[in-house]
Amino acid sequence: MTDDTKDAPAPDVRDATEHHRFEIRVDDELAGFTEYLDHENQRIFFHTEIGEQFAGRGLASTLIRSALTETVGGGKRIVPICPFVARYLEKHDDFANDVDPVTPDAIEAVRHRER
């Protein structure tokens, strides 16, 4: 019996600042991303996607954990508009002191962001 995951490459998470998102890549292929908007001292996470062919591998959790760690490390507060990010935060309380509530102002900032 072999363990195929042992030989699989580790996913790579990077902040693609030019696209305002963190990306997760597997074998240099884009597997997913979580988009954000920096607003004052907050980073508002508003959309996350994982490609269908990458589903079920825990990549969303890996992506979000890395994005939140880098956000907090950079001195920003987390605003979880994105349901993926909100669910992650409900299950992992290690970021509890770094989360701000979703406000109408945050929603409006995302709605009017430059694309």
Side-chain angles (χ1 to χ4, degrees), residues 45-113:
F45 288 92
F46 61 89
H47 180 74
T48 302
E49 280 185 35
I50 297 294
E52 283 184 36
Q53 69 273 34
F54 296 100
R57 299 191 204 176
L59 295 177
S61 289
T62 300
L63 168 64
I64 292 167
R65 180 178 51 250
S66 183
L68 297 181
T69 299
E70 193 165 322
T71 295
V72 170
K76 292 205 176 284
R77 310 267 312 149
I78 300 161
V79 179
I81 291 176
C82 170
F84 268 112
V85 176
R87 275 194 304 275
Y88 181 90
L89 289 166
E90 286 172 9
K91 295 177 184 177
H92 303 88
D93 62 2
D94 33 334
F95 295 102
N97 294 329
D98 303 299
V99 178
D100 287 346
V102 175
T103 62
D105 185 44
I107 294 168
E108 203 57 28
V110 169
R111 207 174 270 144
H112 289 61
R113 74 190 184 283

Side-chain angles (χ1 to χ4, degrees), residues 13-78:
V13 178
R14 294 189 187 159
D15 186 0
T17 55
E18 67 280 7
H19 299 295
H20 306 284
R21 67 188 193 182
F22 284 87
E23 297 177 345
I24 188 164
R25 294 180 175 274
V26 175
D27 259 349
D28 209 33
E29 184 179 352
L30 182 63
F33 57 85
T34 186
E35 294 180 291
Y36 63 82
L37 171 68
D38 286 341
H39 182 68
E40 298 171 1
N41 72 329
Q42 297 176 323
R43 179 161 286 161
I44 304 168
F45 288 92
F46 61 89
H47 180 74
T48 302
E49 280 185 35
I50 297 294
E52 283 184 36
Q53 69 273 34
F54 296 100
R57 299 191 204 176
L59 295 177
S61 289
T62 300
L63 168 64
I64 292 167
R65 180 178 51 250
S66 183
L68 297 181
T69 299
E70 193 165 322
T71 295
V72 170
K76 292 205 176 284
R77 310 267 312 149
I78 300 161

